[in-house]
Amino acid sequence: MTFGFAPAAAPASTPAAANRLLEPAEWAAAGIPLLRNPREVVSGLHARHRPQPATAVVAVLDPDERLRASASFVRRPAAADGWMFRNVLLAQLRRIIPHDLRRRTPVRTAVLLYCREGDARWTEEDGAWMWGLRDACTLHGLRCGAYITLTRDGWQVLGEGRGGRRPHSGSDPEPFATSEAPPPAPRAGGAASDILRRAAAAR
């Protein structure tokens, strides 16, 4: 099977293209697994990729919701079509992580963060991304995870009603990407601490 972009002669307004999107109710009914801590995932991806409007970030999480791989890319100016989005996402997934097609049940989950103009309400473009993400996950042996929009109003997990004001499309990255393990805290007490305290007091 060959994957590629749809030929330019095929307009995205055809009936077939119009069906290559998912409404929020369809998405919610599809059994998409909920993120345990969506803000942590969003903040981590925002700090790592610093997306601007028209930037998509696809990420793969392990069963403990730790980030295993991610990639960002800018959406080309063309009509929204789930088939084209599927091909782009599948190409990115193949580039950053091996497939899990040999597993009976997927264990890793792909999520998509899309930074765009406008408000947080669902658009047909969002529906096309949802369709594309679901199909790309099936073809790469992954579970289809959350679709998240990042706008000037903040972030929103579509189909779940969960969101927040920060980060948003114009905010600076947070100083600490909470989706990754924090550095170990220094241990207090002991001989080393006593030596350091005496050295500091002698200065």
Side-chain angles (χ1 to χ4, degrees):
M1 183 180 292
T2 302
F3 299 102
F5 289 99
S13 59
T14 61
N19 292 331
R20 291 194 287 258
L21 60 84
L22 293 174
E23 300 275 351
E26 295 176 291
W27 183 258
I32 305 299
L34 301 179
L35 290 171
R36 291 193 295 272
N37 193 335
R39 188 184 185 282
E40 184 175 288
V41 172
V42 172
S43 296
L45 294 178
H46 183 259
R48 177 181 289 262
H49 293 278
R50 304 190 179 196
Q52 299 295 314
T55 301
V57 180
V58 62
V60 179
L61 309 177
D62 69 10
D64 294 322
E65 221 165 84
R66 290 189 298 258
L67 181 64
R68 286 304 175 207
S70 64
S72 61
F73 56 95
V74 177
R75 170 177 162 8
R76 294 180 179 178
D81 178 30
W83 188 80
M84 293 181 68
F85 289 169
R86 185 275 308 273
N87 291 343
V88 173
L89 291 170
L90 188 59
Q92 295 292 333
L93 290 170
R94 287 172 170 167
R95 184 173 66 84
I96 63 175
I97 202 161
H99 68 73
D100 278 346
L101 294 171
R102 292 185 180 88
R103 293 182 177 273
R104 291 184 178 181
T105 304
V107 295
R108 296 184 292 191
T109 303
V111 300
L112 180 62
L113 171 72
Y114 183 53
C115 181
R116 61 168 173 77
E117 302 287 0
D119 56 32
R121 288 176 294 185
W122 180 89
T123 67
E124 288 192 358
E125 181 184 25
D126 295 325
W129 279 118
M130 291 171 166
W131 191 98
L133 177 63
R134 185 185 65 177
D135 221 39
C137 288
T138 299
L139 294 172
H140 204 63
L142 301 171
R143 291 199 308 169
C144 179
Y147 172 70
I148 307 157
T149 58
L150 190 69
T151 68
R152 63 175 181 268
D153 297 331
W155 57 273
Q156 176 88 8
V157 185
L158 292 194
E160 295 183 18
R162 293 192 291 174
R165 294 184 178 179
R166 291 188 67 86
H168 56 77
S169 58
S171 63
D172 293 327
E174 295 184 359
F176 174 61
T178 55
S179 65
E180 300 177 41
R187 296 173 61 183
S193 296
D194 292 337
I195 292 171
L196 291 174
R197 279 197 294 270
R198 286 197 296 269
R203 290 178 184 173

